[in-house]
Amino acid sequence: MLDSYAVIGNPVSHSKSPLIHTAFAQQTNQAMQYVALLAPLDGFEATVQDFRQRGGKGLNVTVPFKLEAYQLATRLTERAGIAQAVNTLKFENDEILGDNTDGIGLVRDIECNLAIPLAGKRILLMGAGGAAQGVILPLLQQQPALLAIANRTPEKAAALWKQFNTYGNISAGDFLYFADEHFDIIINATSASLHNALPELPASIFAQAALAYDMMYRQEPIPFLKFARQHGAQQIADGIGMLVEQAAESFFIWRNVRPQTKPVIAKLKSLV
Ligand code: ATR
């Protein structure tokens, strides 16, 4: 029987993960299968345990189950513990290892694929939900000059400041709080793009930005990226590269083999 993996979520049919992991498996000659697994909103744990009992080796976890996966894991990596969210489960004997590869996926996409080093840079991270929380530590580990966290509800940004300020130079506020500052890299980790909305950012903030990055990917243009480009951002990128890079890290955790990401990113882009 082939080793079996899946992405679990609700909804999940739109997920690109089966395509990505199948491409990785072919490229690296791994005998495995990878499918999409829909879990009822109140049935995450039961669906995981059933998959495991049928011999499943590992899962990617997507919306809305990353917190439940964090709670289900019997052992956590440091980065998953700090993010308080899990996107990768690995089943080993009686243990469920929980990891979070989102942050490293973002860092690799920016540094390796877009060739923009993060060290010494001034970064603005927009959003203070689960998506933002998962990438803060990996961003700080690259030693930016500043990581500013801006959120519509500033109290949530302040709570993240409290949680992470010992790991690097962070500041927190609402979007207007940073209006007069300049940033090299501006990352949208809000869920605004999901709803085709644009966070209310001052346009002037993009004047000196080398990169505006949206962690979402979708077929239609993303309002945030369009706005950033119009107001001076030199380069824009959506979350396709991050998606493939986080998948590659999960693949490595499961198979101990590192796939090449560039051809898979190119393939996904050609499908959009
Ligand atoms: P996720 O896990 O995707 O981060 P979440 O935890 O619900 O989802 O967080 C959503 C984030 O997007 C929050 O930072 C939210 O801002 P608030 O904390 O003020 O609610 C942000 N967000 C969603 N829609 C937005 C919009 N139209 N403009 C600005 N921020 C928005």
Side-chain angles (χ1 to χ4, degrees):
M1 213 174 84
L2 288 179
D3 285 354
S4 181
Y5 300 86
V7 54
I8 183 169
N10 187 330
V12 77
S13 60
H14 66 287
S15 172
K16 303 261 186 272
S17 293
L19 195 156
I20 295 170
H21 283 279
T22 303
F24 286 164
Q26 278 168 0
Q27 185 202 101
T28 57
N29 291 318
Q30 298 290 300
M32 57 180 271
Q33 62 174 7
Y34 188 110
V35 297
L37 188 60
L38 179 69
L41 289 175
D42 61 354
F44 172 72
E45 183 171 351
T47 309
V48 171
Q49 298 298 12
D50 176 62
F51 179 74
R52 201 176 157 205
Q53 269 148 27
R54 286 186 287 115
K57 300 277 185 203
L59 288 167
N60 280 134
V61 182
T62 187
V63 176
F65 298 127
K66 289 184 186 183
L67 181 61
E68 280 183 74
Y70 166 76
Q71 288 159 346
L72 184 67
T74 56
R75 188 160 65 91
L76 291 167
T77 60
E78 187 196 12
R79 61 192 178 190
I82 290 170
Q84 294 173 14
V86 156
N87 79 336
T88 305
L89 293 171
K90 181 181 181 183
F91 308 123
E92 312 173 293
N93 309 319
D94 287 342
E95 201 160 71
I96 304 179
L97 173 72
D99 201 347
N100 189 319
T101 65
D102 286 329
I104 191 72
L106 173 68
V107 165
R108 290 221 178 102
D109 191 36
I110 295 176
E111 293 210 316
C112 307
N113 300 328
L114 302 171
I116 299 176
L118 295 168
K121 296 286 162 58
R122 292 172 58 86
I123 303 174
L124 177 66
L125 179 66
M126 297 160 48
Q133 188 173 10
V135 300
I136 292 174
L137 184 69
L139 287 172
L140 287 174
Q141 283 171 335
Q142 309 312 310
Q143 303 193 318
L146 171 70
L147 180 66
I149 304 171
N151 198 46
R152 183 174 61 184
T153 312
E155 294 76 18
K156 285 202 223 160
L160 291 178
W161 179 87
K162 236 178 163 178
Q163 188 187 347
F164 288 102
N165 78 83
T166 52
Y167 295 97
N169 186 23
I170 310 190
S171 61
D174 59 18
F175 295 130
L176 282 178
Y177 182 79
F178 297 106
D180 298 327
E181 299 200 26
H182 85 267
F183 293 97
D184 305 299
I185 298 169
I186 302 177
I187 300 167
N188 185 10
T190 74
S191 53
S193 306
L194 261 185
H195 318 294
N196 214 14
L198 178 69
E200 288 179 28
L201 266 184
S204 57
I205 214 153
F206 294 101
Q208 294 178 56
L211 173 67
Y213 192 103
D214 198 300
M215 283 168 45
M216 294 277 158
Y217 70 93
R218 37 178 266 171
Q219 287 184 331
E220 304 78 36
I222 295 176
F224 165 74
L225 295 180
K226 209 171 141 198
F227 186 77
R229 178 70 101 189
Q230 275 166 358
H231 294 285
Q234 283 164 34
Q235 195 177 349
I236 57 172
D238 68 11
I240 281 190
M242 174 178 175
L243 178 75
V244 175
E245 292 296 340
Q246 63 79 27
E249 185 72 11
S250 298
F251 191 89
F252 178 73
I253 291 163
W254 295 324
R255 310 297 302 181
N256 209 23
V257 176
R258 211 169 264 292
Q260 282 183 27
T261 51
K262 284 205 170 135
V264 182
I265 293 171
K267 185 173 172 182
L268 277 186
K269 283 189 177 161
S270 74
L271 296 176
V272 170

